[in-house]
Amino acid sequence: GMLLFILLISCAVAYALHKYFNKYTTPEDTLRSAIDNGEIVPFYQPIVNGRTGTLRGVEVLARWKHPTAGFISPASFIPIAEKSGLIVQLTQSLMAQVIANMNAITSKLPEGFHLGINFSATHINSPAFLDDCMKYRDSFQCKDLTHVIEVTEREPLNVDEQLITKLNILHDSGFAIALDDFGTGYSGLSYLNDLQIDYIKIDQSFVGRVNENAESTILLDCVIDLASRLSLSIVAEGVETLAQVEYLNRHNITFLQGYYFYKPVSFTDLVKILLSRPREKVVIE
Ligand code: C2E
Ligand code: MG
Ligand code: MG
Ligand code: MG
């Protein structure tokens, strides 16, 4: 009798505790368990040579494969990851999965394939960053990849001596440094002074205005001009229409990314894309 009573009481206490903690589960806690459970997975969006249609590479984009809600967009969880510092674990987990994915298809990767991954300021400023990148690069069986570090300006980057040194070390060891969402963030122009940037990614808000009228492309034209004067290579993001492709071709923007060509796809679908194409050599211009 007594034993049953104690058992009942402990069940009640356990239930109450469970309720209590679930009620007070923060978005960070939920995200942390999602990372631990492998629910944050890499999707891949191809980047094409708009002139030849060949694949230049892919950008890794995080997706939350939620057990009940389906795929959740990074716009809703990357900010939480950045604020809480979980972005470091999140990116490390993505990197491990990208390595495993790419090592499973080494023989199918086009020569000189570009593999871009997004890094937040919080991660770049963390002590783990340099080591994470070097170990990452050394883990690929394919040694002919160009690893691209996409630096976003969503959070202000603290461009101090340390950050400049780190990014320059990576640049000198063969990484390509790309400024993401160029023109939308905090101080893209001054980054160009301080950092060894290989290319800029023109934000889709500029590309999206191509259809409108002559004035709507003034900013885009200025960014293109700036990049060419600085001998920076350009990737145009958010390319959705043939008119945009033609405009960018006319302005010598070779590398294009957007729904017009491909949406971000799962690894399984990336493999299908690679298999459906002749194994091509990436032409760097
Ligand atoms: P981003 O790095 O600028 O990535 C490009 C975004 O544009 C992606 O959104 C992509 O799906 C979307 N996109 C590509 N082509 C088109 C198009 O033709 N039309 C439109 N409307 N959109 C297009 P996504 O995947 O939702 O990612 C949003 C942002 O979240 C990314 O912007 C990046 O800043 C951030 N993010 C995603 N994954 C990661 C990650 O692993 N780490 C970090 N730090 N940030 C990430
Ligand atoms: Mg990006
Ligand atoms: Mg971008
Ligand atoms: Mg963007």
Side-chain angles (χ1 to χ4, degrees):
M2 191 59 175
L3 203 65
L4 194 69
F5 178 72
I6 291 172
L7 205 75
L8 274 174
I9 292 291
S10 23
C11 282
V13 169
Y15 179 73
L17 280 176
H18 175 78
K19 271 278 182 224
Y20 177 85
F21 279 112
N22 271 355
K23 185 169 166 201
Y24 292 98
T25 295
T26 62
E28 288 97 270
D29 295 331
T30 316
L31 182 59
R32 185 177 290 108
S33 21
I35 298 169
D36 293 343
N37 296 336
E39 289 171 21
I40 309 294
V41 300
F43 264 45
Y44 299 91
Q45 187 176 29
I47 296 167
V48 306
N49 181 324
R51 246 182 271 289
T52 60
T54 52
L55 281 196
R56 190 234 202 164
V58 290
E59 174 179 6
V60 175
L61 292 160
R63 293 290 180 271
W64 184 341
K65 198 177 172 188
H66 195 275
T68 54
F71 284 103
I72 300 176
S73 141
S76 63
F77 62 86
I78 293 291
I80 298 170
E82 287 174 340
K83 272 185 215 96
S84 60
L86 280 172
I87 191 70
V88 176
Q89 284 107 291
L90 187 153
T91 309
Q92 288 167 341
S93 154
L94 277 182
M95 289 164 113
Q97 296 176 73
V98 170
I99 293 165
N101 284 171
M102 293 303 136
N103 283 350
I105 55 167
T106 298
S107 64
K108 296 176 187 78
L109 292 171
E111 274 180 66
F113 202 62
H114 281 229
L115 183 57
I117 181 154
N118 292 285
F119 285 94
S120 300
T122 316
H123 193 176
I124 298 176
N125 290 321
S126 82
F129 176 66
L130 251 190
D131 223 37
D132 281 353
C133 290
M134 295 300 189
K135 283 194 190 129
Y136 170 76
R137 197 230 356 229
D138 294 342
S139 305
F140 289 87
Q141 282 155 16
C142 178
K143 299 300 174 199
D144 188 28
L145 292 168
T146 298
H147 293 287
V148 182
I149 293 179
E150 295 197 7
V151 181
T152 30
E153 304 184 272
R154 201 172 27 253
E155 303 170 290
L157 258 192
N158 180 19
V159 183
D160 58 7
E161 206 58 45
Q162 240 194 349
L163 179 132
I164 294 170
T165 309
K166 281 191 214 178
L167 288 176
N168 287 348
I169 289 175
L170 291 172
H171 173 87
D172 293 342
S173 23
F175 286 85
I177 313 292
L179 271 190
D180 205 352
D181 307 322
F182 188 78
T184 64
Y186 286 85
S187 48
L189 283 178
S190 71
Y191 297 167
L192 294 178
N193 266 331
D194 299 327
L195 299 169
Q196 290 179 279
I197 302 296
D198 296 280
Y199 62 84
I200 60 176
K201 298 192 74 174
I202 299 186
D203 191 68
Q204 54 195 53
S205 58
F206 298 109
V207 176
R209 302 182 67 143
V210 162
N211 300 327
E212 294 171 17
N213 53 57
E215 264 165 58
S216 65
T217 58
I218 290 176
L219 288 177
L220 176 63
D221 296 343
C222 287
V223 174
I224 293 172
D225 185 48
L226 177 74
S228 91
R229 283 164 192 258
L230 293 167
S231 319
L232 296 168
S233 165
I234 296 181
V235 172
E237 300 191 284
V239 180
E240 293 182 344
T241 67
L242 180 61
Q244 291 164 357
V245 175
E246 287 170 348
Y247 186 91
L248 294 161
N249 274 343
R250 273 204 305 283
H251 288 78
N252 292 315
I253 308 305
T254 310
F255 298 111
L256 312 179
Q257 177 180 4
Y259 297 169
Y260 180 78
F261 300 99
Y262 295 100
K263 291 197 163 181
V265 296
S266 68
F267 175 62
T268 312
D269 288 341
L270 174 67
V271 175
K272 284 184 197 149
I273 292 171
L274 288 171
L275 287 177
S276 72
R277 311 172 65 97
R279 185 163 180 249
E280 56 214 1
K281 190 172 163 55
V282 176
V283 184
I284 312 289
E285 286 161 35

